[in-house]
Amino acid sequence: AAPEPTPPLHPQAAEREAAVQAEWQAWERRLAEARTELARLRTAPELTEQQRHAAAERLIAERFQGTEAVRARALLVLPTS
């Protein structure tokens, strides 16, 4: 037996789904940008270890707020402050 077709989404549900997808894509983009910047900081010969740590903390504070910062630190494998 063929599966029953799924009914179309209610317009509000479709809008909400699009909004959630946009938020998710923005999160992924911000995380990827932070990962790239952290890789650059880790290999910057002009920075001391203390300066690298401070720059990484600033980067997280500028781009992520609240629980997002905790999640970003975990995903980027950064120590908690």
Side-chain angles (χ1 to χ4, degrees), residues 25-40 59 63-64 76:
Q25 290 171 348
W27 162 259
E28 289 290 333
R29 185 181 63 252
R30 289 176 25 224
L31 192 63
E33 289 169 354
R35 186 175 281 117
T36 299
E37 182 63 17
L38 287 169
R40 188 193 69 74
L59 180 114
R63 298 184 186 199
F64 304 99
L76 296 169

Side-chain angles (χ1 to χ4, degrees), residues 26-27 29-31 33-35 37-38 40-41 51-66 68-70 72-73 76 78 81:
W27 162 259
R29 185 181 63 252
R30 289 176 25 224
L31 192 63
E33 289 169 354
R35 186 175 281 117
E37 182 63 17
L38 287 169
R40 188 193 69 74
L41 290 171
Q51 289 170 325
R52 282 186 184 96
H53 179 73
E57 289 300 314
R58 277 192 306 276
L59 180 114
I60 295 298
E62 290 169 358
R63 298 184 186 199
F64 304 99
Q65 301 298 315
E68 269 191 347
V70 174
R73 273 193 179 85
L76 296 169
L78 294 173
S81 23

Side-chain angles (χ1 to χ4, degrees), residues 1-46:
E4 290 187 32
T6 2
L9 287 177
H10 186 279
Q12 287 177 330
E15 287 176 21
R16 179 63 187 141
E17 184 177 352
V20 167
Q21 287 299 321
E23 289 172 19
W24 185 252
Q25 290 171 348
W27 162 259
E28 289 290 333
R29 185 181 63 252
R30 289 176 25 224
L31 192 63
E33 289 169 354
R35 186 175 281 117
T36 299
E37 182 63 17
L38 287 169
R40 188 193 69 74
L41 290 171
R42 287 182 179 128
T43 60
E46 71 278 7

